Amino acid sequence: MYGNTERDHDICSVIYEKNIDGVILSLSSLCCRRKAFIVTDDTVASLYLDKFKNSALDRFDICGTVILKHGEGSKDLNSLQLICSTMIESELSRKDIVINLGGGMVSDIGGFAASIYMRGIYYINIPTTLLGMVDSSIGGKTAVDFSGIKNVLGAFHFPIATIICPDFLNTLKADDIKSGMGEIIKYYAVSGKFDISNSVPDDFSQLIMQCCNIKKEFVLNDRYDNGMRKILNFGHTFGHAFESASNFSVSHGEAVGLGMLAVCRFGEALGITDADCFNEIKQKLDLFGMKTDYSHLTDGAVSELVHDKKYSSGNIDMVFIRHIGEPVIKSCSLETVKAFLSNERA
């Protein structure tokens, strides 16, 4: 019960439920004889929190709740302090459990709070966004933003389970779907294992499962992101820089889409990437009405590159693709990467 949680459970346990009632039943089993503490945001709380609390009454004890303002701006130390102080007030113990009900911001900060509270307690992710379902809720990366830098404070701390229920997607806005599609297109680009239809599907279940299986394979072989798991950062070096340069007005998934286009152009210039890759990824982004012009973000992005977590000793490990489904990691000097972005603006 009190050992290293990575050894106590499957670090990539994903449970698929058809509806929210099924989510509650899974929680009942996972939270048996434990107090539960919910982290969520105001948008999700208005839609689902009362249903969760009412359904849980006879099944497990919810001892406390923190409702954050939705958006990346809440993923900071002030919110982290609020979560931790409320955990203490709720008398949460080491055997209890945190439930992160929300998108990537909630799973990131809720997971980080769980990683540091009493040196680490269990937590469960219940992603309510497409982005969360295919990416941020799986893999044990937890973090907060600090000093204007995305995810610069964080820890690897794996959930005991991620419960995925596509019913949550019914209340998403079109922009939220676009953000998730950015990561789905990334999985397509690095794996080539599935195709993406010409329109937004009525049922995302198959796409979600395919992306989760791809991510699980990488995480299980490289849980701390020291080797081949870096491939899942395709589009993220430029994407995070674009996201920060936009002051987070560009969503994570759309920024990753722009980052994929930029790194394809960079790969072409270096003789790594086939010219067709840019056009194919742009076509996929266009299908879903996603942004494809990053020129206005390049100036601001240049100064953000030094904060990339793959940067070390003047070099950045960049993820390129030779072709769709054939990724490769190459170390590039920071100056070369900056020069490319500067030229793109021109």
Side-chain angles (χ1 to χ4, degrees), residues 69-111:
K69 180 176 172 56
H70 66 277
E72 187 74 12
S74 290
K75 205 171 80 176
D76 60 11
L77 291 182
N78 290 330
S79 297
L80 182 66
Q81 182 175 346
L82 173 63
I83 294 169
C84 292
S85 62
T86 310
M87 285 177 171
I88 294 170
E89 292 168 7
S90 302
E91 299 182 352
L92 211 64
S93 74
R94 289 196 70 191
K95 70 178 181 179
D96 296 325
I97 198 158
V98 175
I99 298 171
N100 297 321
L101 177 65
M105 181 275 287
V106 169
S107 61
D108 279 358
I109 193 169

Side-chain angles (χ1 to χ4, degrees), residues 205-240:
S205 300
Q206 193 63 31
L207 272 179
I208 292 169
M209 284 190 280
Q210 288 168 324
C211 292
C212 287
N213 288 337
I214 292 168
K215 180 153 191 179
K216 285 172 65 175
E217 183 178 351
F218 278 100
V219 173
L220 290 171
N221 285 290
D222 179 20
R223 66 180 64 184
Y224 297 119
D225 207 13
N226 292 317
M228 295 308 291
R229 182 175 171 178
K230 291 179 182 179
I231 285 169
L232 296 179
N233 289 315
F234 177 63
H236 284 61
T237 294
F238 290 137
H240 280 164

Side-chain angles (χ1 to χ4, degrees), residues 6 32 46 75-76 94 106 150 166 184 243 266 288 303:
E6 294 165 28
C32 182
S46 67
K75 205 171 80 176
D76 60 11
R94 289 196 70 191
V106 169
K150 185 177 174 69
I184 290 173
E243 193 177 357
F266 189 29
F288 299 99
S303 61

Side-chain angles (χ1 to χ4, degrees), residues 23-326:
V23 174
I24 297 295
L25 289 175
S26 286
L27 280 176
S28 301
S29 175
L30 291 164
C31 297
C32 182
R33 295 185 296 277
R34 296 172 179 165
K35 290 189 292 185
F37 182 94
I38 295 179
V39 179
T40 188
D41 67 41
D42 51 1
T43 299
V44 175
S46 67
L47 294 167
Y48 301 111
L49 187 57
D50 285 345
K51 179 176 177 63
F52 266 75
K53 286 186 172 181
N54 293 335
S55 299
L57 281 176
D58 299 326
R59 294 184 172 96
F60 56 92
D61 176 28
I62 297 176
C63 66
T65 304
V66 166
I67 302 173
L68 303 174
K69 180 176 172 56
H70 66 277
E72 187 74 12
S74 290
K75 205 171 80 176
D76 60 11
L77 291 182
N78 290 330
S79 297
L80 182 66
Q81 182 175 346
L82 173 63
I83 294 169
C84 292
S85 62
T86 310
M87 285 177 171
I88 294 170
E89 292 168 7
S90 302
E91 299 182 352
L92 211 64
S93 74
R94 289 196 70 191
K95 70 178 181 179
D96 296 325
I97 198 158
V98 175
I99 298 171
N100 297 321
L101 177 65
M105 181 275 287
V106 169
S107 61
D108 279 358
I109 193 169
F112 188 40
S115 78
I116 60 175
Y117 183 76
M118 293 188 174
R119 297 192 178 96
I121 64 173
Y122 292 120
Y123 73 102
I124 297 166
N125 284 332
I126 305 176
T128 58
T129 64
L130 182 58
L131 177 62
M133 292 178 191
V134 300
D135 191 65
S136 56
S137 66
I138 301 169
K141 287 184 178 180
T142 71
V144 294
D145 304 335
F146 179 69
S147 193
I149 305 171
K150 185 177 174 69
N151 295 336
V152 71
L153 303 180
F156 285 95
H157 189 55
F158 295 87
I160 62 169
T162 295
I163 306 175
I164 291 176
C165 174
D167 268 9
F168 288 116
L169 302 182
N170 295 332
T171 54
L172 289 188
K173 297 177 181 178
D175 284 347
D176 295 317
I177 296 296
K178 289 179 184 179
S179 190
M181 286 307 305
E183 288 287 352
I184 290 173
I185 293 168
K186 175 203 74 178
Y187 285 112
Y188 162 73
V190 300
S191 74
K193 290 184 177 180
F194 62 92
D195 198 8
I196 300 170
S197 66
N198 294 333
S199 61
V200 177
D202 294 327
D203 183 2
F204 279 93
S205 300
Q206 193 63 31
L207 272 179
I208 292 169
M209 284 190 280
Q210 288 168 324
C211 292
C212 287
N213 288 337
I214 292 168
K215 180 153 191 179
K216 285 172 65 175
E217 183 178 351
F218 278 100
V219 173
L220 290 171
N221 285 290
D222 179 20
R223 66 180 64 184
Y224 297 119
D225 207 13
N226 292 317
M228 295 308 291
R229 182 175 171 178
K230 291 179 182 179
I231 285 169
L232 296 179
N233 289 315
F234 177 63
H236 284 61
T237 294
F238 290 137
H240 280 164
F242 293 152
E243 193 177 357
S244 296
S246 76
N247 198 26
F248 301 104
S249 64
V250 176
S251 72
H252 173 76
E254 291 216 90
V256 168
L258 296 176
M260 288 189 285
L261 293 178
V263 79
C264 282
R265 285 296 193 216
F266 189 29
E268 286 180 48
L270 296 176
I272 297 171
T273 303
D274 190 279
D276 291 341
C277 291
F278 178 93
N279 293 330
E280 186 163 357
I281 291 174
K282 184 178 183 299
Q283 181 187 45
K284 299 296 186 188
L285 296 172
D286 284 336
L287 281 173
F288 299 99
M290 297 173 69
K291 296 178 174 64
T292 58
D293 180 11
Y294 53 81
S295 60
H296 62 293
L297 296 171
T298 53
D299 284 350
V302 168
S303 61
E304 298 291 337
L305 290 169
V306 72
H307 304 306
D308 190 275
K309 288 177 286 297
K310 300 174 293 301
Y311 170 71
S312 178
S313 302
N315 295 295
I316 297 179
D317 286 339
M318 297 287 299
V319 184
F320 299 94
I321 54 172
R322 297 187 190 279
H323 312 281
I324 297 296
E326 190 179 341

